[in-house]
Amino acid sequence: MLEIEDLSLQIGTTPILDRVSLSVEPGQILGIVGESGSGKSLTALSAMQLLPEGSSASGSIRFDGRELLNADDVEMQALRGDDLAMIFQEPMTALNPVHSIGDQIAEGITLHTGSDRGQARQLAADMMQRVGLPVDQFPLSRFPHELSGGQRQRVMIAMACALRPKVLIADEPTTALDVTLQAQILHLLRELVEENDMGLVLISHDLAVVAEMTDELVVMRDGIIVDRGPTGTVLRTIEHPYTARLAKASTHIPVRNKPPVLSETSRQQGTAPLVSGRSLVREYRTRRQSLFRAGKPFRAVNNVNIDIYPGQTMGLVGESGCGKSTLARLILALDVPTAGTIEFDGTNLTAASEEQLQIARKNIQVVFQDPFASFNPRHKVERLVAEPLFLEPDITPEQKRDRVVGSLEEVGLSASALEKYPHQFSGGQRQRLAIARALITRPALIVADEPVSALDVSIRAQVLDLLAELRERLGLAYLFISHDLSVVRALCDEVMVMEAGEIVERGIVSEIFDNPRSEAAIQLVNATPDLARALENRQTEN
Amino acid sequence: MINFLQTALGNRSFATGFIITCIVVFMAALSFIWTPYDVTDLDIAAKLKPPSASHWLGTDHFGRDIFSMIMVGARNSIAVALVAVVIGVGFGVPLGCWAAARGGLIDEGLMRGNDVIFAFPALLSAVMITAVFGPGAINAIIAIGIFNIPVFARLSRGAALSLWPRDFILAARAAGKSKARITVEHIVPNMANLLIVQSTIAFALGIIQEAGLAYVGLGTQPPLPSWGKMLNEAQTMMSFAPHMAIVPGLAIVITVLGLNLLGDGLRDVLDPRLTRKRD
Amino acid sequence: MLAFFLRKLIWAIATLAVASVLVFAALEIVPGDPAEVMLGINATDDAIAALRESLGLNKPVLERYISWLGGMLVGDFGQSYTYSVSVRELVADRITISLPLALLSLLISTLIAIPVGLYAAAKRGSLADTGIMALTQIGIAIPNFWFALLLVYFLAIWLQLVPAGGFPGWDAGFWVALKSLLLPSLSLALPQAAILSRVTRSALLETMGEDYIRTARAKGLSRRATLWHHALRNALIPVLTILGLQFAYLLAGTIIIENVFYLPGLGRLVFQAISLRDLIVVESVVMMLVATIIIINLVVDLAYLWVDPRLRNRSP
């Protein structure tokens, strides 16, 4: 149906794609998997002829026998949204905020079928029903801002599938969503493929997702297809070294030489917890409901008890908005709890003097998710990494520099980095810099808020190794926040599952994930794509 | 700095604007030590002469040399507009940063205060001030300067608000740095580009506003020449001495155009998005 | 939606109240006695005392402020000292020139700027776009009163197409009166149109880079259709903001332009009042103009409601 042959692409003078060939048939799901910069999204945009300005493509893209590469605008417009449709990664920005969702779905219908407004809206309503947004709850007059991310992605799917396209291209459709929503959306897509005998091109960075979803698979790297074949075969035999690397990295588990630190054992041994939060509550005021009525306070963190022992790696998982980041901010003393106490090493932080706070701050450092946003772009590495040393005012410039170099070496960087700016480093290196900055005060605890979520799998594995190694060498404790259960399983000793501000389940990682009891944990575990499980299921299918 | 100029001069807007601005500033500076004629010299015999070899841009109704008056007028325009920008930046940026750092009621209050000042265009403030204190160049500076305060306060508040939730600011807070210190170390340097661009624009606007005030008699007073004042005097003589109106107007247009081009060029050169692309 | 409107309305009233305090306070800080300032140095003590009495200067500040404010609310602006008529009559007469002038300028500037901005954005990078942008760059640099002088010189003095100035009054017929406002409003509108068309163009180009534009294209809409149906309305949000600010400039601009064209509007009135030191008139006119600006900004806020549904309600 859609056939790409020897597609090469340049943007300006930069080569992006090199002789890419792939095809998808009706009712088939083709996966394109690769790390960032592999050219998987631009392959899709080539098929839609929606490439950025200054691109030049060669080769051939045939759709239903017609050549698209030199098709004119009118021809492409007739095709787009009718027989060939596409959905995108970011549901929050992909819908026009000033038009109602009904109008946005109906727009394409009227455009392609020439049907009147009434008919188009009727079809739009039917589609909404189909994607799980019944119109009695989600009237067509709703605007995008009144819907959640998952609901918006459903609207996108309704829009793309309203005219039963022959091929749908989905570019990372679930990357911005929580795992439970991801599972729902993927399920919906699979159903639509079967119902409409539609071809689906699913682009993803996640091997587990494509392993669960696709029939055929191509693996891309640096604009080249390096591996291809039926998904089961490709992922089971793993012949190509790059595919092997990807698979290994996405299931990578760092070595743990010392035994895990468990709360139960520590308590029995009489070790005092490093950080101990009791009955923590954090409320936020919400928008006033009217001039005279204040909004109901929103409890982001509700009655949470937390203990982290020296050397322990504590995982914290939950869906976005469940309060994990707020809890982290409370422990970092960036935010003050509405009720409850936090003790660090026996000092009550909520009632501490600035001096006592400084000691605690030296001992609790932080690593954030986005390595691009965590550094002031105008400062050099020496100053950036030294920032927490502000807590030790007596230090001389020489000592400061030595400490920075020491820290850089701990994370595998060298003194040559001192004079560079953050933008001169790759994402993975920047995350190492962030860890170096956290290490410089010799902390006892590092709060890591989704530290590897923004990284490609191979880099992710390296950073996880580094975190594991530092933990053993320096006796660090981690509060490791993630929405990705596989990473938590790989690194953490114990885990807490959070839902709607409360901790609903806690315990040893393997026990919780193999045998979840709370509703939230069960949902999380079931929704998380798992490469091994997916391949197992395939085995039984075949 | 030299590196920066080299890159920046590759930008056509910046290069043009930079050259025009340099020429205007040079003329204004030169007027302190040399002008073709003394601007207080009245030469009634040579009045209303169109441009010629002896008077490059002609003479006015008192026979004064217009070119010399333009040079001295540039001094006045630059001084008024510059001080007005300094007032705007000096009060506006700290206020905006403070509002962003504190949030809540202080933020709300300051922004509402801004709205009030926005309802007083420079001309209305100048009318009030003149009615109370009498006319003069200082009034013009104060009136334009006051109007610049909310402009810079809004801009720096918006920029600061978008910076505060960034991870590198959180990291600084986790290190225990105070909000004031973070503002000085991280917030202000990261909005410097925006402020520079806005300053050139406010500067250009200030020159137009100053001319307007002088034109209606609320700004610089005679005998000091000012471009707006010259236009006012030219008005009744339009039909027989159009050069008297055309020349000062062109001086304003060229100066403002130069500053605007400089601002546009700076925006392109300093835009972090473009910078990032280059790496 | 109602809550949004009410909040804006309350803020507008609060802004007005603060502005009135500022205007009133300005007169309070007149160095020396306002009555003396108004009468000049040759006035007799009796005359000053009489004026003090009639201005109510002997009463306490708060009482005077309240009576001034209360008076204005019911349309009583007090008595002009120099014209010996009520300020209300004076202002009512003049505002029939200034307000139409400002509104006409706003209309012309919008009618020119938005199509021009749309056209330039649609043809981005073309010769026409470059030309338009160069022209607007110059347009921004032109002071409106100088542009007015040039228009008078070329159209009225050289070509004698239109009267050079003056105003026959609305009694002389609507079209005749409107014609004499044409040059003044053009000279106000064109430099503003230059700014507005640049804002329109850049707002459009910015929205054209948004994800939802790509969605619309993926739906099969042509570039042109996406510009009209998806980009324009989103781009109107920043354009509206600028429009609100521009009205303040235009209203202030009328004061200057009236002097170029010898129009007997509020601008002329205020300058005569300043030279005659008739502070009551100055105070009233400034207050009226400020109030108009605040009201127009309220209207702009309501226009946001129409453009941006995100402001209408916030229920998730």
Side-chain angles (χ1 to χ4, degrees):
Chain A
M1 182 57 59
L2 176 68
E3 209 177 347
I4 297 179
E5 214 175 300
D6 280 341
L7 174 70
S8 296
L9 174 72
Q10 281 192 348
I11 297 181
T13 53
T14 322
I16 304 290
L17 298 178
D18 185 20
R19 280 165 295 156
V20 167
S21 301
L22 52 85
S23 67
V24 62
E25 300 305 320
Q28 189 190 40
I29 304 182
L30 170 75
I32 305 181
V33 74
E35 297 189 290
S36 52
S38 61
K40 51 193 194 304
S41 291
L42 284 162
T43 306
L45 288 174
S46 303
M48 294 295 283
Q49 290 286 292
L50 286 175
L51 289 166
E53 270 172 58
S55 329
S56 58
S58 65
S60 140
I61 302 172
R62 273 190 306 280
F63 180 75
D64 217 0
R66 283 151 72 191
E67 177 59 48
L68 301 188
L69 209 52
N70 45 28
D72 62 13
D73 264 0
V74 180
E75 210 175 325
M76 279 314 297
Q77 280 156 21
L79 208 56
R80 279 186 213 130
D82 192 359
D83 285 343
L84 181 59
M86 183 163 179
I87 55 178
F88 303 98
Q89 173 174 351
E90 204 31 86
M92 301 314 273
T93 53
L95 292 171
N96 191 333
V98 303
H99 292 302
S100 71
I101 50 174
D103 285 348
Q104 292 191 59
I105 300 174
E107 185 178 27
I109 301 173
T110 355
L111 183 75
H112 290 292
T113 61
S115 58
D116 64 31
R117 194 179 142 86
Q119 289 170 318
R121 288 182 74 88
Q122 186 51 51
L123 182 51
D126 294 346
M127 262 332 274
M128 291 274 288
Q129 181 90 38
R130 178 61 201 88
V131 298
L133 301 174
V135 280
D136 47 333
Q137 287 170 53
F138 300 93
L140 294 177
S141 57
R142 283 273 172 101
F143 286 95
H145 71 272
E146 298 168 292
L147 302 177
S148 70
Q151 290 164 348
R152 288 187 209 194
Q153 199 60 301
R154 285 171 193 268
V155 172
M156 275 300 292
I157 293 172
M159 199 184 284
C161 296
L163 296 172
R164 298 175 180 268
K166 292 175 180 156
V167 170
L168 173 69
I169 302 172
D171 187 1
E172 304 258 12
T174 55
T175 308
L177 301 176
D178 279 326
V179 279
T180 40
L181 288 172
Q182 162 165 295
Q184 292 166 14
I185 295 285
L186 291 177
H187 183 70
L188 172 65
L189 282 175
R190 199 204 299 269
E191 281 178 353
L192 287 167
V193 166
E194 278 162 22
E195 270 169 42
N196 301 344
D197 202 23
M198 175 174 82
L200 173 67
V201 180
L202 179 69
I203 297 169
S204 180
H205 66 282
D206 190 338
L207 271 187
V209 167
V210 291
E212 276 183 6
M213 286 283 293
T214 62
D215 308 313
E216 291 277 318
L217 180 64
V218 298
V219 182
M220 283 186 79
R221 184 195 188 191
D222 297 335
I224 302 170
I225 293 184
V226 292
D227 198 3
R228 65 175 355 130
T231 305
T233 323
V234 170
L235 292 180
R236 223 171 290 125
T237 57
I238 305 195
E239 279 169 352
H240 194 276
Y242 181 68
T243 315
R245 241 173 71 194
L246 272 187
K248 203 162 159 242
S250 57
T251 51
H252 178 76
I253 295 176
V255 233
R256 180 80 154 131
N257 293 321
K258 295 182 186 163
V261 179
L262 303 179
S263 304
E264 195 54 45
T265 345
S266 303
R267 208 173 297 129
Q268 282 164 3
Q269 290 169 350
T271 320
L274 204 53
V275 166
S276 165
R278 285 288 163 272
S279 322
L280 288 172
V281 174
R282 180 64 175 103
E283 281 184 351
Y284 289 105
R285 273 185 304 173
T286 50
R287 174 167 280 280
R288 300 181 78 81
Q289 288 177 320
S290 77
L291 281 174
F292 309 102
R293 215 161 43 157
K296 263 189 251 155
F298 168 70
R299 283 206 168 184
V301 171
N302 190 6
N303 203 21
V304 166
N305 294 323
I306 177 171
D307 284 314
I308 301 173
Y309 288 89
Q312 187 177 40
T313 304
M314 176 64 79
L316 179 59
V317 298
E319 300 206 326
S320 55
C322 72
K324 358 185 243 299
S325 290
T326 310
L327 182 57
R329 289 166 66 96
L330 291 177
I331 289 169
L332 284 164
L334 284 177
D335 201 348
V336 184
T338 315
T341 56
I342 301 177
E343 280 185 8
F344 175 80
D345 214 9
T347 321
N348 183 353
L349 293 187
T350 36
S353 67
E354 193 50 39
E355 252 165 72
Q356 290 170 312
L357 260 182
Q358 300 284 26
I359 297 171
R361 286 204 158 109
K362 252 192 273 183
N363 275 297
I364 311 176
Q365 288 288 324
V366 62
V367 175
F368 293 106
Q369 170 177 6
D370 185 356
F372 292 86
S374 37
F375 294 105
N376 187 336
R378 301 183 170 272
H379 291 171
K380 287 182 181 165
V381 165
E382 180 172 2
R383 185 163 174 197
L384 292 170
V385 173
E387 178 144 47
L389 284 183
F390 149 82
L391 295 165
E392 296 172 33
D394 304 328
I395 204 164
T396 67
E398 289 74 38
Q399 287 173 319
K400 200 180 220 178
R401 180 173 271 246
D402 287 346
R403 292 275 288 274
V404 172
V405 172
S407 239
L408 288 174
E409 281 165 356
E410 296 275 22
V411 299
L413 295 170
S414 71
S416 62
L418 285 176
E419 292 300 313
K420 290 189 186 165
Y421 287 97
H423 67 251
Q424 293 168 291
F425 295 89
S426 69
Q429 285 173 322
R430 277 190 237 200
Q431 209 58 315
R432 284 172 191 269
L433 283 178
I435 296 169
R437 173 171 64 188
L439 288 178
I440 199 159
T441 55
R442 300 278 159 222
L445 170 68
I446 289 182
V447 176
D449 192 351
E450 306 264 11
V452 294
S453 309
L455 303 175
D456 277 326
V457 279
S458 50
I459 314 272
R460 172 184 305 186
Q462 292 167 14
V463 172
L464 286 177
D465 276 343
L466 174 65
L467 287 172
E469 183 209 322
L470 290 171
R471 158 177 77 185
E472 311 231 313
R473 196 141 45 86
L474 306 174
L476 285 171
Y478 293 121
L479 174 60
F480 191 92
I481 301 168
S482 183
H483 67 278
D484 185 344
L485 298 198
S486 61
V487 194
V488 172
R489 193 192 272 266
L491 194 71
C492 296
D493 302 331
E494 290 192 10
V495 66
M496 303 191 294
V497 181
M498 202 164 176
E499 191 196 23
E502 292 179 51
I503 305 286
V504 290
E505 196 166 352
R506 65 175 90 211
I508 298 164
V509 172
S510 52
E511 282 176 16
I512 302 261
F513 288 171
D514 293 338
N515 213 344
R517 275 160 311 177
S518 65
E519 190 60 33
I522 293 170
Q523 262 190 12
L524 271 178
V525 170
N526 287 342
T528 302
D530 186 298
L531 188 54
R533 195 175 61 200
L535 289 178
E536 227 168 80
N537 290 347
R538 273 178 186 278
Q539 201 98 48
T540 52
E541 266 170 37
N542 293 349
Chain B
M1 188 64 205
I2 290 164
N3 267 341
F4 169 78
L5 262 185
Q6 266 172 355
T7 350
L9 285 173
N11 178 299
R12 220 170 39 187
S13 289
F14 180 87
T16 321
F18 186 70
I19 291 167
I20 295 177
T21 311
C22 283
I23 292 174
V24 174
V25 171
F26 174 73
M27 299 287 263
L30 186 63
S31 75
F32 281 105
I33 49 171
W34 177 83
T35 49
Y37 294 84
D38 191 328
V39 289
T40 52
D41 263 3
L42 309 186
D43 182 3
I44 303 296
K47 70 172 183 179
L48 297 174
K49 285 277 186 310
S52 65
S54 53
H55 294 281
W56 296 340
L57 297 177
T59 58
D60 75 351
H61 53 301
F62 293 124
R64 290 178 292 184
D65 180 53
I66 291 184
F67 186 65
S68 309
M69 290 173 77
I70 293 286
M71 282 174 71
V72 179
R75 214 155 81 189
N76 177 63
S77 288
I78 291 174
V80 172
L82 194 64
V83 177
V85 169
V86 170
I87 293 176
V89 174
F91 288 93
V93 174
L95 280 177
C97 287
W98 191 50
R102 295 300 298 273
L105 275 178
I106 289 176
D107 185 24
E108 185 85 357
L110 275 172
M111 287 304 114
R112 294 303 138 196
N114 264 349
D115 288 354
V116 176
I117 301 180
F118 260 129
F120 287 87
L123 193 78
L124 284 189
S125 314
V127 162
M128 297 260 301
I129 296 170
T130 310
V132 175
F133 297 107
I138 303 289
N139 294 349
I141 292 177
I142 296 174
I144 300 169
I146 286 180
F147 195 70
N148 278 340
I149 294 174
V151 172
F152 281 96
R154 252 188 211 192
L155 182 77
S156 46
R157 172 182 176 268
L161 280 182
S162 74
L163 286 167
W164 272 109
R166 297 269 287 276
D167 285 350
F168 71 89
I169 304 285
L170 277 181
R173 290 184 60 196
K177 288 190 174 171
S178 68
K179 283 189 166 183
R181 186 166 178 155
I182 289 173
T183 300
V184 173
E185 274 183 27
H186 293 293
I187 304 274
V188 174
N190 275 293
M191 63 164 85
N193 289 349
L194 269 178
L195 292 177
I196 291 169
V197 170
Q198 185 63 41
S199 295
T200 59
I201 293 167
F203 194 4
L205 202 63
I207 285 180
I208 291 194
Q209 287 175 323
E210 190 277 334
L213 293 177
Y215 171 77
V216 291
L218 297 179
T220 314
Q221 295 299 304
L224 258 188
S226 94
W227 295 345
K229 200 81 204 134
M230 291 167 77
L231 283 173
N232 176 303
E233 288 162 1
Q235 188 177 350
T236 49
M237 289 161 232
M238 278 301 277
S239 49
F240 48 93
H243 71 276
M244 268 181 70
I246 290 172
V247 171
L250 278 180
I252 298 171
V253 172
I254 290 170
T255 308
V256 173
L257 186 64
L259 284 167
N260 281 337
L261 287 174
L262 190 68
D264 279 7
L266 276 174
R267 181 172 12 221
D268 291 347
V269 176
L270 297 176
D271 191 335
R273 273 178 292 183
L274 298 176
T275 328
R276 211 172 295 147
K277 226 177 270 169
R278 221 179 298 139
D279 294 324
Chain C
M1 198 189 300
L2 190 67
F4 178 87
F5 173 71
L6 279 177
R7 211 177 56 216
K8 291 290 173 187
L9 185 69
I10 287 170
W11 279 124
I13 292 170
T15 311
L16 259 176
V18 176
S20 74
V21 172
L22 285 179
V23 172
F24 185 79
L27 276 177
E28 288 301 309
I29 56 168
V30 170
D33 185 351
E36 269 177 54
V37 172
M38 287 169 86
L39 290 173
I41 34 172
N42 298 324
T44 62
D45 287 351
D46 285 351
I48 290 173
L51 185 60
R52 284 189 66 89
E53 187 55 43
S54 76
L55 290 178
L57 286 179
N58 298 324
K59 293 178 200 153
V61 177
L62 195 65
E63 194 178 318
R64 276 186 291 129
Y65 171 70
I66 289 170
S67 74
W68 175 69
L69 195 66
M72 274 201 304
L73 287 179
V74 297
D76 174 15
F77 294 88
Q79 195 78 8
S80 160
Y81 159 68
T82 41
Y83 294 87
S84 304
V85 286
S86 77
V87 175
R88 175 193 179 164
E89 254 173 72
L90 219 50
V91 168
D93 200 31
R94 307 298 185 101
I95 204 163
T96 57
I97 296 172
S98 298
L99 199 59
L101 180 56
L103 290 176
L104 191 61
S105 315
L106 194 65
L107 187 72
I108 295 176
S109 136
T110 315
L111 285 183
I112 294 175
I114 290 185
V116 167
L118 249 173
Y119 181 78
K123 306 254 165 186
R124 179 166 73 139
S126 70
L127 206 63
D129 177 35
T130 320
I132 290 172
M133 283 306 105
L135 212 61
T136 53
Q137 186 70 265
I138 295 172
I140 292 175
I142 296 179
N144 50 28
F145 58 94
W146 183 62
F147 187 57
L149 286 177
L150 291 185
L151 284 182
V152 168
Y153 181 64
F154 287 110
L155 298 181
I157 298 179
W158 254 31
L159 302 173
Q160 311 217 317
L161 286 177
V162 279
F167 185 69
W170 292 103
D171 303 336
F174 179 73
W175 293 110
V176 180
L178 200 66
K179 198 175 156 195
S180 65
L181 289 184
L182 192 66
L183 271 199
S185 45
L186 263 182
S187 47
L188 274 172
L190 288 184
Q192 297 292 343
I195 299 177
L196 199 56
S197 55
R198 286 182 84 88
V199 172
T200 309
R201 174 179 177 273
S202 66
L204 274 169
L205 290 183
E206 191 142 309
T207 44
M208 285 301 275
E210 295 283 345
D211 281 358
Y212 52 78
I213 297 295
R214 193 177 53 181
T215 307
R217 297 274 289 151
K219 232 190 273 181
L221 265 71
S222 67
R223 208 175 279 278
R224 208 187 153 82
T226 37
L227 188 70
W228 277 99
H229 299 305
H230 290 272
L232 184 59
R233 194 140 151 218
N234 283 286
L236 274 183
I237 297 169
V239 170
L240 267 176
T241 311
I242 299 294
L243 262 183
L245 283 179
Q246 281 206 332
F247 185 79
Y249 280 112
L250 284 174
L251 205 58
T254 58
I255 295 184
I256 297 184
I257 289 296
E258 284 168 12
N259 278 287
V260 180
F261 291 93
Y262 304 104
L263 295 174
L266 286 176
R268 301 282 289 172
L269 177 67
V270 103
F271 287 116
Q272 283 155 3
I274 287 179
S275 57
L276 295 170
R277 283 178 285 208
D278 194 339
L279 297 181
I280 310 271
V281 171
V282 175
E283 188 183 53
S284 308
V285 172
V286 169
M287 197 56 228
M288 288 238 359
L289 293 179
V290 168
T292 317
I293 290 169
I294 292 170
I295 290 166
I296 289 285
N297 277 318
L298 184 64
V299 174
V300 168
D301 280 337
L302 294 187
Y304 280 128
L305 273 185
W306 167 68
V307 172
D308 191 347
R310 282 166 291 190
L311 297 175
R312 286 181 214 157
N313 52 17
R314 293 177 179 269
S315 58

